[in-house]
PDB file of all heavy atoms in Angstrom:
ATOM      1  N   LYS A1185       0.900  26.101 -46.133  1.00 94.00           N
ATOM      2  CA  LYS A1185      -0.155  26.414 -45.172  1.00 94.00           C
ATOM      3  C   LYS A1185       0.248  27.552 -44.227  1.00 94.00           C
ATOM      4  O   LYS A1185      -0.520  27.925 -43.343  1.00 94.00           O
ATOM      5  CB  LYS A1185      -0.523  25.168 -44.353  1.00 94.00           C
ATOM      6  CG  LYS A1185      -1.251  24.102 -45.161  1.00 94.00           C
ATOM      7  CD  LYS A1185      -1.881  23.058 -44.257  1.00 94.00           C
ATOM      8  CE  LYS A1185      -2.728  22.087 -45.079  1.00 94.00           C
ATOM      9  NZ  LYS A1185      -3.576  21.235 -44.232  1.00 94.00           N
ATOM     10  N   ASN A1239      -2.078  10.583 -56.941  1.00 85.00           N
ATOM     11  CA  ASN A1239      -2.578   9.413 -57.659  1.00 85.00           C
ATOM     12  C   ASN A1239      -2.837   8.300 -56.649  1.00 85.00           C
ATOM     13  O   ASN A1239      -2.228   8.275 -55.573  1.00 85.00           O
ATOM     14  CB  ASN A1239      -1.561   8.921 -58.696  1.00 85.00           C
ATOM     15  CG  ASN A1239      -1.365   9.917 -59.824  1.00 85.00           C
ATOM     16  OD1 ASN A1239      -2.316  10.345 -60.456  1.00 85.00           O
ATOM     17  ND2 ASN A1239      -0.110  10.291 -60.070  1.00 85.00           N
ATOM     18  N   ALA A1269       0.294 -10.119 -62.044  1.00 93.00           N
ATOM     19  CA  ALA A1269       0.413 -10.349 -60.602  1.00 93.00           C
ATOM     20  C   ALA A1269       1.500 -11.366 -60.290  1.00 93.00           C
ATOM     21  O   ALA A1269       2.220 -11.238 -59.289  1.00 93.00           O
ATOM     22  CB  ALA A1269      -0.931 -10.818 -60.033  1.00 93.00           C
ATOM     23  N   ASN A1305      -5.757 -22.500 -51.810  1.00 92.00           N
ATOM     24  CA  ASN A1305      -5.866 -21.088 -52.171  1.00 92.00           C
ATOM     25  C   ASN A1305      -5.381 -20.211 -51.015  1.00 92.00           C
ATOM     26  O   ASN A1305      -5.966 -20.206 -49.930  1.00 92.00           O
ATOM     27  CB  ASN A1305      -7.315 -20.741 -52.527  1.00 92.00           C
ATOM     28  CG  ASN A1305      -7.441 -19.359 -53.131  1.00 92.00           C
ATOM     29  OD1 ASN A1305      -7.374 -18.349 -52.440  1.00 92.00           O
ATOM     30  ND2 ASN A1305      -7.620 -19.306 -54.449  1.00 92.00           N
ATOM     31  N   SER A1316      -9.718 -10.543 -37.147  1.00 88.00           N
ATOM     32  CA  SER A1316     -10.234  -9.191 -37.358  1.00 88.00           C
ATOM     33  C   SER A1316     -10.017  -8.777 -38.804  1.00 88.00           C
ATOM     34  O   SER A1316      -8.940  -8.987 -39.365  1.00 88.00           O
ATOM     35  CB  SER A1316      -9.528  -8.190 -36.431  1.00 88.00           C
ATOM     36  OG  SER A1316      -9.892  -8.411 -35.092  1.00 88.00           O
ATOM     37  N   VAL A1380     -34.169 -16.849 -46.790  1.00 94.00           N
ATOM     38  CA  VAL A1380     -34.108 -16.686 -45.334  1.00 94.00           C
ATOM     39  C   VAL A1380     -32.887 -15.841 -44.963  1.00 94.00           C
ATOM     40  O   VAL A1380     -32.991 -14.858 -44.216  1.00 94.00           O
ATOM     41  CB  VAL A1380     -34.045 -18.053 -44.630  1.00 94.00           C
ATOM     42  CG1 VAL A1380     -33.810 -17.873 -43.128  1.00 94.00           C
ATOM     43  CG2 VAL A1380     -35.337 -18.827 -44.866  1.00 94.00           C
ATOM     44  N   GLU A1396     -27.698  12.341 -47.375  1.00 89.00           N
ATOM     45  CA  GLU A1396     -28.234  12.683 -48.695  1.00 89.00           C
ATOM     46  C   GLU A1396     -27.222  12.508 -49.820  1.00 89.00           C
ATOM     47  O   GLU A1396     -27.589  12.216 -50.956  1.00 89.00           O
ATOM     48  CB  GLU A1396     -28.753  14.125 -48.698  1.00 89.00           C
ATOM     49  CG  GLU A1396     -30.120  14.288 -48.062  1.00 89.00           C
ATOM     50  CD  GLU A1396     -30.706  15.662 -48.314  1.00 89.00           C
ATOM     51  OE1 GLU A1396     -30.214  16.356 -49.235  1.00 89.00           O
ATOM     52  OE2 GLU A1396     -31.637  16.044 -47.592  1.00 89.00           O
TER      53      GLU A1396
END
Side-chain angles (χ1 to χ4, degrees):
K1185 290 194 174 192
N1239 293 307
N1305 190 284
S1316 291
V1380 173
E1396 281 191 17

